[in-house]
Amino acid sequence: EVQLLESGGGLVQPGGSLRLSCEASGFTFSSYAMSWVRQAPGKGLEWVSGISGSGGRTYNADSVKGRFTISRDNSKNTLFLQMNSLRAEDTAVYYCAKDQEMATIVALDIWGQGTMVTVSS
Amino acid sequence: DIQMTQSPSSLSASVGDRVTITCRASQSISSYLNWYQQKPGKAPNLLIYAASSLQSGVPSRFSGGGSGTDFTLTISSLQPEDSATYYCQQTYTTPTFGGGTKVEIK
C-alpha cells in the first residue's frame, strides 16, 4: 500500500525552528518528485515547496523563500522540511504529497494525513 | 505568480444535478491544470490532471475541460458523497491553488 506518514509538527514560538519529516512506503521513492502543501485553519490549500526525485532541484513558494528548506534522503525514503524564522502566518496543517512525475511538480497523486504546526507565544 | 480564480465559491445542488465549477488563470497555463477534492478533516484527493485526464479510481461522473486560461470541472450527476470542497491547481510555473469551491447537497 502506498503511504506517506508525516511527523514533527507541534507548537513553536515566533522566530523558532521546526523540522518536519515524511516517511514514504509502497513505491520507489527516488522515482518521484515530492511536495509540501499547507492549509491554515479554515483556509484553502497553499503549495509550499517541492523537490525532484533525485533531490537535485528544489522549488519554493515566495512566502517561504529563504526560511524553509526542502530535502530528501532517498536511502531512507524520507522527505524533510526545515522551517526557520517561523511566523504566526505559518500556522497550518502541513501535508506531504507524492507527484506523478520525477523531475518536476506536475500533479500530486498521493497525500499524507498531515501534521499540525502552530506558531504562537 | 499565476493567480487562480475559482467560481462559484460555494454552491448547493440536488442529487442527480449536473454541476460545473470554473477556474480561471491569470495567464495561459496550457493544460497544466489539476483538480482536487477535499472532505472535512481529510487530505485532498487528485481527481483530474492535465486538465482533462481522469485519475485512476475516480468515478467517471467527474470530468475536466479547458486549456489556456479557462477550465471547468463537471460532475455529471451529483451524488451525496460528492459533498466536499474542490480546488484547482496550476503547475505551469511555481504551483498555485485556486481558492476552492464548497459543494453542498440540498
Side-chain angles (χ1 to χ4, degrees), chain B:
Chain B
D1 285 0
I2 296 176
Q3 308 303 315
M4 305 301 292
T5 303
Q6 285 183 236
S7 61
S9 57
S10 65
L11 65 89
S12 181
S14 300
V15 172
D17 283 354
R18 182 180 183 89
V19 169
T20 298
I21 299 168
T22 64
C23 179
R24 175 164 289 176
S26 59
Q27 65 184 74
S28 177
I29 58 170
S30 184
S31 294
Y32 289 88
L33 190 285
N34 307 313
W35 290 97
Y36 300 86
Q37 176 193 65
Q38 187 180 33
K39 296 183 179 181
K42 301 294 187 182
N45 181 47
L46 178 66
L47 298 176
I48 302 287
Y49 64 94
S52 61
S53 295
L54 189 68
Q55 174 68 1
S56 175
V58 174
S60 59
R61 63 180 180 272
F62 291 93
S63 64
S67 66
T69 60
D70 294 316
F71 301 87
T72 58
L73 173 69
T74 298
I75 308 173
S76 61
S77 178
L78 191 67
Q79 299 302 303
E81 61 267 30
D82 299 335
S83 178
T85 301
Y86 294 83
Y87 294 93
C88 62
Q89 178 205 33
Q90 67 81 19
T91 56
Y92 184 73
T93 62
T94 303
T96 48
F97 287 93
T101 296
K102 186 174 184 178
V103 174
E104 296 180 329
I105 309 296
K106 281 183 184 174

Side-chain angles (χ1 to χ4, degrees), chain A residues 35 37 39 43-47 59-62 65 95 99-100 105-114, chain B residues 1 32 34 36 38 41-46 48-50 55 87 89 91-99:
Chain A
S35 285
V37 176
Q39 187 168 36
K43 303 297 184 182
L45 302 172
E46 181 186 12
W47 179 87
Y59 314 84
N60 291 286
D62 287 344
K65 273 180 185 173
Y95 296 100
D99 205 275
Q100 288 183 333
I105 310 305
V106 173
L108 305 175
D109 60 1
I110 301 293
W111 295 63
Q113 86 291 346
Chain B
D1 285 0
Y32 289 88
N34 307 313
Y36 300 86
Q38 187 180 33
K42 301 294 187 182
N45 181 47
L46 178 66
I48 302 287
Y49 64 94
Q55 174 68 1
Y87 294 93
Q89 178 205 33
T91 56
Y92 184 73
T93 62
T94 303
T96 48
F97 287 93

